[in-house]
């Protein structure tokens, strides 16, 4: 038998995307850090343990392990869908690897068998197709690949449900253990999980981390937590790393840290994490790797005190890397051909988030508007607006295409500025670079027919933007700087140019009445009925400590509920409960709003008055 040669690579830092974020494309934070650090001559490796964990679960071996975990519960038969999963275990085991290969785009001919619905077991996620078989008509006669992707996605969702219902209640496809981290003022729940018995997912994570330490020799690991749904895993990885390698430095940063952990006083998180990094991490991590005695916006435990430091730095050193000087993301090292797409809803726009492979790129740091009263405008990631030069962006686009071999781009800006999109479009056209792109915008009047047509010529296929509360009084209060008429004009311009439009919607804003919510839905209905919108999503308003509403609650007629300080000190703090003088049952309204929108996105109920969705 031939001996396998295992090579160990020495790196200065191992950057990790902890489980779980997304499965179709890598979250871009580690790629941006990699681009910056490599340009400084620092040796970096990056891994996506979220993707790797999902691929472990969605494998023949993974199904066998899930089945044996479920069978440990004698009462599993009480749950109809678990029972179905166990009875169909052989079929799941024999189909899972071909289906994942298909969703990775590596076995397109499987579409023909998937689409005729004779290949994979069909559990509870397929029930809506019994009531609404017409959902499959969206794909038409020749839409075999998409129809197959839809069937395969429902099948993956059934397996994810089996894991959540029969193995680990904290598991969802794109998040893990969210409840442990989401605006949780106490670290108790997380601490108990971290120091308690290992779960099935913990054991998988342990195996993956050990594999990485066998492949990379490093003294520092850096993890990114954009959302509460990957925070527990980051702490778990840090715990495994500390048990495995003495002297390792564990660093945590990302959107969750920036928004939730700025006021942390609990010392226990430092049993796992050595340094929390706030805002842009490039320079801060560079200092840590260089073992500098200087620190830039990091939090650590010193002499039994939680300290936030930006010490020993001159004013020049305190300045972050200018965005125009950032070399851009470097995706090399990530297993780009192993990400898999999902199409869970037959809607042309809705699929953008989970389907296709997108290279993520940022056009401008921060937001050019920075006035919305519900937004974290006091924080650096919104407040510091620095656009990149269009020519530099197109250089970065060319570099990323060469690295990834794909030409789809998602511009993940807070709100891409119209002037920059004009320049970028002109530059792409002038340099004859053919890419497909979409991104987030504000429904700004500068997006007129000409600009929309130019963007479409340059490869733009979709935009997403915040309409928030479609009520004239509340749009004023939110300081969105848009009107409903303006949104109609801007969305019309995009649609005329053949660009799909998605709107972010909000309900439950302070002082919002039931009448205003229903009127808001009526505006949304008309936008769908007139073909201005392709998809949308309702968010329930929350007050955050970094937003104008959270900082000046009196101005919005609300009072904040003072949170209790936990015994061991504060862990996360971002969302704060509030008491509104105007009493509206937003929970009840939310049900009708979501139901209406789900139907609109399938082209159903567009003739029904908005009022009809509420009992
Ligand atoms: S909500 Fe969007 S447009 Fe408004 S300030 Fe925040 S990032 Fe800018």
């Amino acid at each position: 038998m031939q001996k396998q040669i295992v090579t160990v690579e020495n790196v200065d830092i191992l950057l990790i995307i902890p489980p779980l974020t997304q499965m179709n494309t890598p979250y871009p934070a580690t790629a941006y850090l990699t681009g910056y650090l490599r340009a400084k001559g620092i040796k970096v490796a990056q891994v996506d343990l979220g993707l790797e964990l999902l691929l472990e679960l969605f494998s023949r071996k993974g199904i066998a392990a899930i089945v044996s975990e479920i069978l440990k519960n004698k009462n599993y038969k009480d749950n109809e869908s678990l029972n179905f999963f166990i009875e169909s275990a052989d079929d799941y085991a024999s189909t899972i690897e071909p289906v994942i290969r298909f969703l990775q785009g590596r076995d397109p001919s499987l579409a023909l068998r998937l689409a005729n619905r004779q290949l994979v077991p069909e559990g509870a996620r397929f029930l809506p197709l019994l009531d609404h078989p017409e959902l499959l008509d969206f794909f038409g006669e020749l839409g075999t690949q998409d129809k197959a992707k839809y069937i395969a996605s429902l099948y993956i969702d059934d397996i994810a449900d089996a894991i959540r219902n029969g193995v680990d209640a904290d598991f969802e496809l794109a998040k893990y253990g969210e409840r442990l981290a989401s605006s949780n003022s106490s670290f108790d729940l997380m601490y108990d999980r971290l120091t308690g018995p290992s779960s099935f997912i913990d054991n998988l994570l342990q195996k993956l981390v050990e594999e990485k330490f066998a492949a990379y020799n490093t003294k520092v690991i850096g993890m990114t937590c954009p959302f509460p749904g990957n925070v527990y895993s980051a702490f778990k990885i840090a715990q495994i790393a500390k048990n495995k390698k003495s002297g390792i430095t564990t660093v945590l940063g990302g959107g969750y840290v920036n928004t939730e952990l700025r006021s942390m006083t609990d010392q226990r998180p430092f049993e796992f994490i050595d340094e929390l990094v706030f805002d842009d991490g490039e320079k801060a991590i560079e200092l840590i790797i260089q073992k500098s005695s200087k620190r830039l916006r990091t939090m650590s435990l010193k002499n039994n005190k939680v300290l936030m430091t930006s010490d020993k730095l001159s004013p020049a050193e305190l300045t972050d890397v200018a965005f125009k000087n950032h070399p851009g993301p470097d995706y090399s090292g990530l297993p780009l051909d192993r990400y898999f797409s999902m199409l869970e809803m037959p809607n042309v726009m809705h699929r953008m988030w989970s389907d296709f492979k997108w290279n993520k790129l940022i056009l401008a740091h921060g937001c050019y508007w920075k006035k919305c009263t519900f937004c974290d405008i006091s924080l650096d990631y919104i407040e510091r607006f620095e656009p990149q030069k269009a020519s530099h962006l197109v250089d970065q686009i060319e570099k990323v295409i060469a690295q990834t071999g794909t030409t789809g781009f998602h511009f993940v800006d807070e709100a891409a500025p119209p002037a920059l999109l004009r320049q970028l479009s002109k530059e792409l056209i002038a340099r004859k670079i053919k890419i497909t792109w979409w991104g987030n915008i504000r429904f700004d009047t500068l997006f007129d027919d000409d600009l929309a047509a130019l963007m479409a010529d340059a490869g733009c296929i979709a935009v997403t933007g915040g309409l928030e509360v479609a009520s004239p009084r509340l749009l004023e209060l939110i300081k969105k700087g848009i009107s409903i008429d303006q949104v109609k004009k801007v969305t019309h311009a995009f649609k005329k140019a053949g660009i799909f439009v998605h709107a972010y919607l909000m309900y439950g804003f302070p002082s919002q009445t039931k009448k205003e919510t229903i009127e808001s839905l009526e505006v949304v209905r008309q936008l769908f009925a007139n073909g201005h919108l392709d998809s949308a999503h309702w968010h329930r308003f929350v007050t955050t400590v970094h937003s104008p509403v959270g900082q000046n609650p009196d101005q919005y007629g609300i009072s904040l509920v003072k949170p209790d300080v936990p015994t061991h000190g504060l862990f996360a703090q971002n969302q704060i409960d509030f008491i509104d003088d105007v009493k509206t049952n937003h929970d009840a309204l939310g049900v009708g709003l979501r139901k209406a929108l789900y139907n609109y996105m399938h082209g159903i109920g567009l003739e029904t008055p908005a009022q009809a969705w509420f009992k």
Side-chain angles (χ1 to χ4, degrees):
M1 210 166 95
Q2 228 181 357
K3 261 196 179 169
Q4 217 184 346
I5 302 166
V6 182
T7 51
V8 183
E9 190 182 337
N10 289 318
V11 291
D12 299 313
I13 185 166
L14 175 63
L15 292 173
I16 300 174
I17 305 171
L20 290 162
T21 53
Q22 54 195 110
M23 70 295 281
N24 63 319
T25 215
Y27 188 78
T30 62
Y32 267 90
L33 288 169
T34 300
Y36 173 82
L37 295 170
R38 282 191 181 148
K40 293 272 171 179
I42 293 169
K43 281 194 185 157
V44 187
Q46 54 182 337
V47 294
D48 186 343
L49 292 190
L51 175 69
E52 296 197 26
L53 184 90
L54 289 179
L55 293 177
E56 286 279 331
L57 290 168
F58 298 132
S59 65
R60 185 181 266 272
K61 237 171 103 188
I63 297 290
I66 295 164
V67 168
S68 89
E69 282 298 305
I70 293 172
L71 291 177
K72 285 180 188 167
N73 176 0
K74 301 246 174 326
N75 299 324
Y76 80 85
K77 285 191 177 164
D78 297 347
N79 182 312
E80 216 176 303
S81 61
L82 278 184
N83 205 18
F84 174 82
F85 182 78
I86 294 298
E87 280 176 359
S88 316
D90 286 348
D91 288 336
Y92 279 109
S94 62
T95 48
I96 186 65
E97 290 179 5
V99 169
I100 288 291
R101 274 200 301 277
F102 167 73
L103 291 174
Q104 288 171 327
R106 297 193 289 148
D107 193 0
S109 62
L110 198 74
L112 297 159
R113 291 200 66 196
L114 278 163
N116 70 14
R117 300 182 66 186
Q118 284 169 3
L119 182 70
V120 295
E122 299 192 352
R125 291 285 187 145
F126 287 80
L127 290 177
L129 288 179
L130 282 181
D131 293 338
H132 294 286
E134 72 278 8
L135 284 175
L136 292 176
D137 296 344
F138 280 99
F139 302 105
E141 288 272 314
L142 288 174
T144 315
Q145 289 290 331
D146 283 343
K147 186 175 169 187
K149 209 179 259 185
Y150 179 55
I151 301 292
S153 302
L154 297 180
Y155 159 90
I156 294 289
D157 285 338
D158 268 332
I159 301 175
D161 290 348
I163 300 172
R164 185 170 54 262
N165 296 327
V167 180
D168 188 334
D170 283 322
F171 180 85
E172 286 184 55
L173 255 189
K175 49 190 165 186
Y176 182 69
E178 187 183 47
R179 75 187 166 91
L180 303 170
S182 188
S183 268
N184 208 335
S185 60
S186 165
F187 192 60
D188 288 356
L189 269 181
M190 181 98 79
Y191 193 70
D192 290 349
R193 267 294 299 272
L194 288 163
T195 52
S198 289
S199 69
F200 171 74
I201 299 284
D202 290 340
N203 292 337
L204 273 182
L205 204 48
Q206 170 102 25
K207 173 182 160 284
L208 292 172
V209 175
E210 286 174 6
E211 280 171 13
K212 294 307 158 202
F213 282 144
Y216 300 106
N217 185 26
T218 185
K219 291 258 168 35
V220 186
I221 59 168
M223 291 169 291
T224 176
C225 283
F227 315 115
N230 79 336
V231 175
Y232 167 78
S233 304
F235 276 90
K236 192 73 202 171
I237 292 166
Q239 183 187 43
I240 297 166
K242 286 206 168 287
N243 287 339
K244 235 15 236 170
K245 288 191 101 166
S246 67
I248 196 155
T249 300
T250 54
V251 183
L252 183 67
Y256 176 84
V257 176
N258 290 341
T259 51
E260 304 253 0
L261 301 186
R262 298 188 102 89
S263 314
M264 193 176 90
T265 54
D266 194 330
Q267 301 188 1
R268 292 173 298 170
F270 294 105
E271 290 175 30
F272 311 90
I273 305 292
D274 296 303
E275 311 245 18
L276 290 176
V277 170
F278 292 85
D279 305 326
D280 289 0
E282 278 80 351
K283 271 176 84 171
I285 290 180
E286 190 185 352
L287 291 170
I288 293 169
I289 293 169
Q290 289 166 344
K291 293 201 176 70
S292 166
S293 60
K294 299 174 178 181
R295 284 290 178 269
L296 175 63
R297 288 190 313 274
T298 55
M299 190 187 270
S300 54
L301 191 66
K302 284 206 183 97
N303 302 324
N304 291 324
K305 283 209 173 97
V306 177
L307 290 180
M308 179 83 170
T309 54
S310 270
D311 51 3
K312 300 180 190 166
L313 294 178
S314 66
E317 287 173 315
L318 267 170
T319 314
D320 277 291
V321 187
F323 192 61
K324 66 176 170 24
N325 296 331
H326 198 296
D330 182 340
Y331 286 94
S332 55
L334 289 168
L336 298 168
D337 57 341
R338 298 180 71 214
Y339 286 86
F340 59 95
S341 292
M342 298 273 285
L343 198 172
E344 291 162 291
M345 186 191 275
N347 174 285
V348 283
M349 175 72 214
H350 206 267
R351 66 191 299 186
M352 295 294 171
W353 282 272
S354 61
D355 199 359
F356 310 112
K357 294 193 180 1
W358 301 108
N359 301 307
K360 307 232 175 197
L361 200 74
I362 303 167
L363 307 183
H365 186 286
C367 171
Y368 73 102
W369 177 251
K370 50 184 166 183
K371 289 185 192 163
C372 302
T373 55
F374 62 88
C375 180
D376 289 346
I377 58 176
S378 62
L379 293 184
D380 184 77
Y381 80 98
I382 302 284
E383 198 275 330
R384 181 160 58 90
F385 175 62
E386 282 184 47
Q388 184 59 276
K389 270 174 127 180
S391 58
H392 193 164
L393 283 169
V394 179
D395 293 344
Q396 287 182 0
I397 285 170
E398 288 192 300
K399 194 174 108 192
V400 170
I401 294 173
Q403 266 172 15
T404 64
T406 54
T407 55
F409 282 81
H410 181 194
F411 300 144
V412 287
D413 287 64
E414 302 305 329
L420 181 55
L421 285 175
R422 183 182 292 280
Q423 291 158 9
L424 176 71
S425 300
K426 284 183 176 169
E427 186 78 15
L428 285 166
I429 293 167
R431 284 163 65 169
K432 296 192 169 46
I433 310 239
K434 303 292 177 197
I435 61 167
T436 304
W437 55 273
W438 61 297
N440 202 34
I441 52 125
R442 215 179 121 251
F443 291 118
D444 193 311
T445 37
L446 290 172
F447 290 109
D448 56 13
D449 287 2
D450 282 353
L451 179 52
L454 180 74
M455 286 164 60
D457 270 356
C460 177
I461 41 111
V463 291
T464 59
L467 165 57
E468 319 305 353
V469 185
S471 141
R473 180 185 78 85
L474 291 165
L475 278 172
E476 277 287 310
L477 209 55
I478 285 174
K479 293 207 180 128
K480 193 79 201 173
I482 56 172
S483 67
I484 294 168
D485 276 348
Q486 184 177 329
V487 172
K488 284 183 188 161
K489 262 192 209 140
V490 173
T491 51
H492 179 67
F494 282 127
K495 292 301 297 174
K496 216 166 100 186
I499 294 173
F500 297 127
V501 183
H502 172 93
Y504 294 109
L505 305 167
M506 185 196 284
Y507 69 102
F509 195 77
S511 76
Q512 184 170 359
T513 62
K514 178 178 169 188
K515 185 167 174 283
E516 284 169 330
T517 304
I518 295 172
E519 283 169 0
S520 182
L521 179 64
E522 177 55 25
V523 172
V524 172
R525 182 192 72 76
Q526 287 172 21
L527 287 168
F528 271 97
N530 295 328
H532 289 122
L533 287 184
D534 298 288
S535 71
H537 185 78
W538 289 107
H539 297 259
R540 173 78 183 262
F541 166 81
V542 291
T543 329
T544 72
V545 288
H546 311 294
S547 68
V549 176
Q551 292 176 344
N552 306 292
D554 302 351
Q555 288 178 15
Y556 300 89
I558 58 168
S559 47
L560 303 182
V561 178
K562 210 167 172 232
D564 295 334
V565 177
T567 325
H568 290 276
L570 190 64
F571 176 53
Q573 188 193 42
N574 189 26
Q575 296 177 18
I576 334 170
D577 291 341
F578 63 91
I579 298 165
D580 193 341
D581 292 344
V582 177
K583 304 292 174 212
T584 304
N585 187 347
H586 299 297
D587 287 342
L589 290 168
V591 177
L593 291 174
R594 282 190 293 276
K595 201 167 169 189
L597 200 55
Y598 182 80
N599 280 278
Y600 296 166
M601 286 196 281
H602 289 96
I604 302 166
L606 292 170
E607 307 307 321
T608 315
Q611 175 70 48
W613 297 99
F614 305 95
K615 280 189 184 147

